[in-house]
Amino acid sequence: MKQGTQGSSGTGLPRTRPAAAGEARVPRQAGTARGEHTHSEPPAPEAARERPVVQRTSVRGQILDALRAALVAGDLRPGEVYSAPVLGERFGVSATPVREAMQQLALEGAVEVVPNRGFRVVERGARELAELAEVRALIEVPVLLRLARTVPAERWAELRPLAEATVRAASSGCRATYAESDRGFHRAVLSLAGNRQLVQIAEDLHRRAQWPLVGGGPGMRGRADLVADAHEHTALLDALIARDLEVVRALASEHFSGAAGTG
């Protein structure tokens, strides 16, 4: 998703276009939406109306996933302002689900509302990324060590496909694909602790650590860096199966330190 638009060429709520067969209708949002004007917009160009539209029940959810992937890939650039109508046209949906998804990203700290213009992608520095890596290590390393003492080897072996999937995702060179696979592996590991709050907090920190920095950072890392990061997952599983606590501690600590450079 290549974005080159700052601000909004036509802001506010778009006119509802006819729904294609099987397309989920998104009701017009009532009232004034934060971040943009409410003047009516011209109909989308014919080419835009012919684009494939979201077919899932939760349009907002799919748009949110797409925007998160765009953040990780660097398609939504730090410091740039994006309007919901323009992004909606690119996705082939109305501005409403895009605006709602952007509001969620604002709650997560990924973007900020710019009145009458849209949403600006938050600019982050290396210090914030290092702090996130430190907090993740403080939370996850003790949990890993506890699980290493109690979880049987066969349960760890069941996670092998997820670890191998991260290597394949990293080998593709797609940062968004690897980011999703990476979170999936860590989520599965922490789920063995049986604490849903832990999993939710850790995943939120992990997701935030994957957003790109201004002028580079994890969003600009190459395939080799991602592959090296992914191979640490398989090495960690080997240590967990062997119940080698010292190796688990060393690998986990190194992995989170590396997260400050690879996400």
Side-chain angles (χ1 to χ4, degrees):
M1 183 175 73
K2 187 175 181 181
Q3 304 294 337
T5 304
Q6 289 194 359
S8 171
S9 57
T11 54
L13 299 177
R15 298 175 181 173
T16 304
R17 58 184 174 81
E23 177 186 352
R25 280 186 177 274
V26 181
R28 182 186 297 270
Q29 182 174 329
T32 301
R34 294 193 308 163
E36 293 166 276
H37 288 301
T38 55
H39 306 307
S40 60
E41 293 184 358
E46 187 66 28
R49 292 200 297 270
E50 293 175 354
R51 291 175 182 169
V53 294
V54 175
Q55 300 290 334
R56 207 172 72 177
T57 302
S58 175
V59 179
R60 172 188 175 277
Q62 187 165 342
I63 295 301
L64 179 59
D65 290 342
L67 290 172
R68 283 171 170 166
L71 277 170
V72 174
D75 293 330
L76 294 180
R77 298 185 296 275
E80 296 290 327
V81 177
Y82 300 89
S83 74
V86 172
L87 289 176
E89 183 176 326
R90 291 177 180 272
F91 283 121
V93 299
S94 72
T96 300
V98 177
R99 186 178 294 108
E100 292 173 346
M102 280 294 202
Q103 295 285 4
Q104 177 60 37
L105 290 177
L107 292 176
E108 296 175 3
V111 302
E112 57 188 9
V113 176
V114 181
N116 303 322
R117 292 184 63 194
F119 302 85
R120 178 184 291 113
V121 179
V122 172
E123 298 181 86
R124 305 165 60 244
R127 178 173 180 176
E128 180 181 349
L129 190 62
E131 290 174 348
L132 285 168
E134 181 181 7
V135 174
R136 289 184 63 203
L138 289 171
I139 293 175
E140 296 192 42
V141 172
V143 174
L144 280 172
L145 292 173
R146 175 164 60 85
L147 293 175
R149 299 184 182 96
T150 58
V151 175
E154 55 267 24
R155 292 295 304 279
W156 293 121
E158 293 172 359
L159 301 186
R160 182 76 64 181
L162 291 176
E164 294 172 347
T166 66
V167 176
R168 292 193 298 272
S171 298
S172 74
C174 177
R175 295 183 291 271
T177 300
Y178 176 68
E180 182 176 356
S181 182
D182 184 25
R183 290 196 311 273
F185 173 77
H186 284 269
R187 185 189 313 122
V189 169
L190 293 177
S191 294
L192 295 177
N195 187 326
R196 288 183 297 177
Q197 298 300 317
L198 166 69
V199 174
Q200 182 177 341
I201 291 171
E203 180 151 3
D204 177 64
L205 291 169
H206 194 169
R207 191 187 303 278
R208 290 169 58 192
Q210 292 173 330
W211 300 335
L213 301 180
V214 176
M220 301 302 291
R221 300 289 287 186
R223 179 180 304 179
D225 300 299
L226 300 181
V227 170
D229 189 68
H231 277 299
E232 292 177 358
H233 296 150
T234 57
L236 180 61
L237 271 187
D238 291 338
L240 289 166
I241 290 173
R243 291 196 173 181
D244 191 331
L245 299 185
E246 289 306 314
V247 174
V248 168
R249 185 192 303 275
L251 285 173
S253 299
E254 181 180 350
H255 186 67
F256 288 116
S257 297
T262 62

